[in-house]
Amino acid sequence: TKNCTDCHLSKNNDNNAWMAQLLGFGTGTVNFFGRYAYVGEGREGLHAVIWTEPDEPQAVIGSHLHKIAYPDNYRKHLEAGAILQEGHEHSGHDIQDIVLRGEYLYTANGPGGFEVFDVANIDQKGFSERIVSAPVSPLGQRTRIPTKYATSVALPSTLALDPARVRLPENEEQPIDLFYAFVYVSDREEGLVIVDVRTLVDGNPDNNFLKESETVRFNPNGVLTGATFVAAAGHRLYLTTPRGLYVVDVGKDGKSPRIAGQFTGNFLRNPHCVAIQFRYAFVTDDDGLKVLNISDPDRPLPVSGGVVRLQNPGRLYVARTYAYVANGPAGLAIIDVENPERPRLDQMFNAGGALNDTRAVQIGSVSASQFALVADGKNGLRVVQLISPDTVAGAQGFSP
């Protein structure tokens, strides 16, 4: 039932980008931290893929640093067709989005709703299961909230912050805002679902039960029906629906959402995804990438010159002065957004046609090199080295 494809190493002479591939499972979303890349595969569930060496320096397998620091392993990797060799799987209903924070993996699981997987022991050989839905049984832990069709999940921080943590006055510790106690889930039928997850970061393993009584469902007059993606910025959430971009203020307690603003004009046509950076919202829709000014967060305004036409835009990731858009059969669109009022296509990268079913992309840096992890649909996970110290002068700069 899993359509695998021939895997190979591909080199682009213009930027010396190398790719590694895991045999295809129809990947649609990707997130990473440390040694593992976590890949959502729709109804096939998820994989935790080893993409770096375990020792220091923690080189990305197949990368420039890998060739220098681990020449024998690098040679074996190439001899094996540049295929990443190890991935640990777990079942899922229909995983649409995946975010790692601390020892937990937060997922929008389609008809399975919102589900959190425990990945604390993924490298622990003495533990019974690497990726855990519930230790021993659901009687010991239940980290799932049913929703009708969860499409994405947003966390306000990459840190596991506990607003209820006891603060010591002598340390002059400031209170942590309640906004960080929640996970925000977009659902195509229920709109926005707000889940209280502070029990997962309080240091007590005996109370890991997500409760329906502490969950808020918000879809006033059905305006958020069809929600495809949610992003958190400040005390606001930005949701894309087929009608446009909606701004939700969740209130000081995190549980009192209200529609604070919206943009539903003709500028946007069936939005798919949104990313927030500084004063701008970057949205992909049926036409491509579009930019809205959110200097007034509750009043998104279209930027007249903020359009880059693309054929099949999907999920995107904005990293400083570039936006990276998964562009379906065309590969990865790299867009210069140094001037967000005048974005321009820097290049389309498809590795000679090898990247041909891109769905989502995540950007990160390892040891002075920058990488894109691409969910390449039927082809599986692709690891693209964007820069390395030997190919880009000043690779250590603000935005290489």
Side-chain angles (χ1 to χ4, degrees), residues 118-193:
D118 187 331
V119 294
N121 293 288
I122 192 160
D123 255 349
Q124 170 60 270
K125 292 188 292 184
F127 200 74
S128 59
E129 192 174 8
R130 293 179 181 269
I131 302 172
V132 181
S133 299
V136 184
S137 80
L139 297 177
Q141 175 174 307
R142 187 173 60 254
T143 53
R144 177 176 174 268
I145 293 293
T147 75
K148 292 184 178 178
Y149 200 98
T151 54
S152 79
V153 57
L155 284 76
S157 174
T158 56
L159 302 176
L161 302 175
D162 180 15
R165 184 174 64 86
V166 176
R167 299 183 301 274
L168 302 178
E170 59 268 30
N171 289 343
E172 299 183 5
E173 298 178 65
Q174 301 302 303
I176 297 174
D177 199 285
L178 278 175
F179 186 66
Y180 296 96
F182 304 96
V183 167
Y184 305 93
V185 182
S186 64
D187 188 279
R188 72 182 186 189
E189 296 186 39
E190 298 186 64
L192 173 66
V193 181

Side-chain angles (χ1 to χ4, degrees), residues 30 44 76 102 114 148 155 164 170 182 204 211 217 224 228-229 236 247 249 257 278 305 318 335 339:
V30 61
E44 298 291 348
K76 292 176 182 178
F114 170 68
K148 292 184 178 178
L155 284 76
E170 59 268 30
F182 304 96
N204 181 5
K211 299 178 181 178
R217 299 170 191 269
L224 300 180
T228 55
F229 198 83
R236 291 171 177 81
V247 184
D249 188 331
F278 304 124
V318 181
I335 299 170
N339 179 2

Side-chain angles (χ1 to χ4, degrees), residues 342-353:
R342 291 289 185 272
R344 63 177 183 83
L345 181 65
D346 180 85
Q347 61 178 291
M348 287 295 305
F349 176 73
N350 66 6

Side-chain angles (χ1 to χ4, degrees), residues 254-399:
K255 288 187 174 183
S256 305
R258 65 179 180 87
I259 301 292
Q262 63 186 61
F263 182 84
T264 56
N266 293 331
F267 181 73
L268 294 178
R269 195 165 69 91
N270 189 28
H272 308 153
C273 184
V274 58
I276 306 298
Q277 183 168 269
F278 304 124
R279 296 187 297 115
Y280 296 93
F282 299 85
V283 180
T284 54
D285 69 357
D286 285 352
D287 298 326
L289 175 71
K290 297 179 180 176
V291 183
L292 292 91
N293 189 315
I294 54 170
S295 296
D296 179 350
D298 297 340
R299 192 167 172 259
L301 296 173
V303 173
S304 59
V307 178
V308 176
R309 302 288 176 180
L310 299 171
Q311 293 180 341
N312 295 278
R315 298 281 175 92
L316 80 156
Y317 193 98
V318 181
R320 296 178 174 176
T321 59
Y322 290 95
Y324 301 82
V325 181
N327 195 27
L332 187 64
I334 303 176
I335 299 170
D336 187 330
V337 294
E338 183 173 6
N339 179 2
E341 306 276 340
R342 291 289 185 272
R344 63 177 183 83
L345 181 65
D346 180 85
Q347 61 178 291
M348 287 295 305
F349 176 73
N350 66 6
L355 273 171
N356 55 39
D357 191 21
T358 59
R359 314 284 184 86
V361 58
Q362 178 93 2
I363 304 298
S365 296
V366 181
S367 300
S369 297
Q370 191 174 20
F371 297 88
L373 273 70
V374 182
D376 195 23
K378 63 186 179 182
N379 303 309
L381 169 69
R382 305 277 199 176
V383 180
V384 182
Q385 180 157 316
L386 299 172
I387 69 162
S388 62
D390 68 318
T391 60
V392 179
Q396 71 278 16
F398 174 78
S399 184

